[in-house]
Amino acid sequence: MQESDSEDVRLERVLRAAAMANDTVILTTLNSAWAEPGSMVDVFLESFRVGEHTRELLDHLVIVSLDLAAHRRCKQIHPHCLAVATEGVDFSGQKNFMTDGYLRMMWRRIDFLRQVLEKGYSFIFTDTDIVWLRSPLPRLYAEGDFQIACDHFTGDPDDVLGNAPNGGFAYARANTETVELYRYWYAARERHPGLHDQDVLNLIKADRYLAEVGVRIRFLSTEFFGGLCEPSRNLSAVCTMHANCCVGLRRKIADLTLILHDWRSFMSLRGPDKRSASWSVPRNCSLDKVEE
């Protein structure tokens, strides 16, 4: 890769190299705190290797590094890496939830995802604190411009008011509607200062303007896209598990590692034993705990 090329040129090159036949890519963002050996990115990539029909998806994963240390590590462990800088901002350290650095990092991500859509690429965005246990592609709705996982799912994928979206996993189809959704979402940060992208989305998801734009928002069931807030109870169907409702990098890593252990144990079972399998988490994660 020619680092002297503009970010736009590098973005186009990496997206083209990683895209599926339908111009869809899988994206995650990474900073150096999560990129260190033995840290979050290693657990994340390991899940693709042990999941069902997920190893081949690594060919379509782009790791977007928010600092140079993360980018250097990415190039050691993965073929599709993109460095995205933000002038005057250092994203390298651990960004504790809702600090100023955390908020800047989250909003930089929203603006970047808009750029991907403008280039004509659909994407699945995944946080790095999510393990992929099965391919989620068959569980995405055939209809729905923007589809997003939930901290709480009411059972109705069209329940805009009741479902609690989680921006850690989302699918966006590249079209004018989703580009406008991301533009509107990013601009809304100025109307709601001090809030992160997920809370702002929750505030704007039912806005009349988005209905006028014509973007169809659908919410993904926690049966297939689970997390520590609301774990999937069906190990025979679950696709992804997210270390949401969890504060602290070490606690996230510990419980995601347990999930992979549970998954390996589940995959070794036969017949009726599989139906009674369950998770052993959360064990380390709790919202009332803080990282030492």
Side-chain angles (χ1 to χ4, degrees):
M1 185 174 70
Q2 298 168 5
E3 301 291 347
S4 60
D5 287 344
S6 71
E7 185 175 295
D8 187 71
V9 169
R10 286 185 281 118
L11 173 59
E12 181 68 43
R13 183 188 299 120
V14 172
L15 292 175
R16 192 183 309 120
M20 303 177 196
N22 62 355
D23 287 337
T24 300
V25 293
I26 302 167
L27 301 169
T28 195
T29 51
L30 187 66
N31 74 344
S32 61
W34 287 34
E36 293 175 357
S39 191
M40 191 68 73
V41 71
D42 290 336
V43 179
F44 175 71
L45 293 176
E46 178 65 12
S47 73
F48 282 83
R49 299 183 187 108
V50 302
E52 279 188 338
H53 306 298
T54 50
R55 182 181 287 267
E56 55 265 34
L57 295 177
L58 286 171
D59 293 337
H60 308 293
L61 170 68
V62 176
I63 296 178
V64 181
S65 302
L66 299 174
D67 60 77
L68 290 178
H71 186 55
R72 284 193 293 268
R73 178 83 205 289
C74 178
K75 290 195 292 184
Q76 293 170 358
I77 60 177
H78 189 67
H80 304 303
C81 304
L82 179 71
V84 174
T86 301
E87 185 137 2
V89 181
D90 177 13
F91 288 139
S92 61
Q94 182 179 336
K95 297 295 179 276
N96 290 325
F97 187 63
M98 293 307 294
T99 60
D100 182 63
Y102 174 88
L103 294 174
R104 286 171 177 262
M105 194 161 62
M106 294 301 100
W107 285 114
R108 179 65 180 98
R109 184 174 81 184
I110 296 300
D111 193 41
F112 171 78
L113 293 175
R114 172 194 54 79
Q115 293 176 266
V116 173
L117 293 170
E118 286 182 335
K119 287 192 168 296
Y121 290 90
S122 303
F123 63 76
I124 296 172
F125 176 81
T126 174
D127 273 349
T128 319
D129 63 341
I130 293 179
V131 289
W132 284 48
L133 305 173
R134 288 187 180 87
S135 171
L137 297 174
R139 296 298 184 182
L140 297 174
Y141 301 111
E143 297 180 352
D145 303 301
F146 178 73
Q147 304 176 32
I148 189 165
C150 298
D151 286 336
H152 169 66
F153 180 65
T154 65
D156 178 0
D158 295 308
D159 184 0
V160 175
L161 293 177
N163 286 313
N166 185 298
F169 187 98
Y171 166 75
R173 181 176 288 116
N175 55 34
T176 55
E177 291 84 2
T178 54
V179 168
E180 190 56 32
L181 166 65
Y182 272 84
R183 279 185 182 144
Y184 185 72
W185 188 358
Y186 185 70
R189 79 196 188 284
E190 296 181 353
R191 302 201 309 274
H192 303 286
L195 295 185
H196 63 71
D197 58 306
Q198 186 172 300
D199 282 345
V200 171
L201 177 63
N202 213 28
L203 291 170
I204 69 171
K205 63 187 179 181
D207 280 8
R208 179 179 300 175
Y209 177 73
L210 292 180
E212 292 172 355
V213 167
V215 62
R216 185 174 185 186
I217 300 175
R218 307 200 77 187
F219 299 88
L220 299 167
S221 170
T222 49
E223 178 183 9
F224 308 119
F225 302 90
L228 299 182
C229 298
E230 197 167 280
S232 169
R233 302 299 179 188
N234 187 352
L235 273 71
S236 294
V238 64
C239 297
T240 61
M241 280 284 283
H242 187 185
N244 52 4
C245 290
C246 182
V247 175
L249 175 58
R250 282 174 285 174
R251 291 189 175 94
K252 285 176 179 283
I253 292 170
D255 272 7
L256 288 176
T257 300
L258 280 175
I259 287 173
L260 291 186
H261 179 269
D262 292 344
W263 174 255
R264 289 184 177 97
S265 298
F266 169 76
M267 293 300 289
S268 70
L269 297 174
R270 293 292 178 265
D273 291 336
K274 283 198 167 187
R275 290 195 288 274
S276 61
S278 62
W279 303 113
S280 60
V281 292
R283 186 179 298 175
N284 299 275
C285 286
S286 173
L287 279 176
D288 60 1
K289 295 177 181 176
V290 294
E291 184 80 347
E292 294 93 348

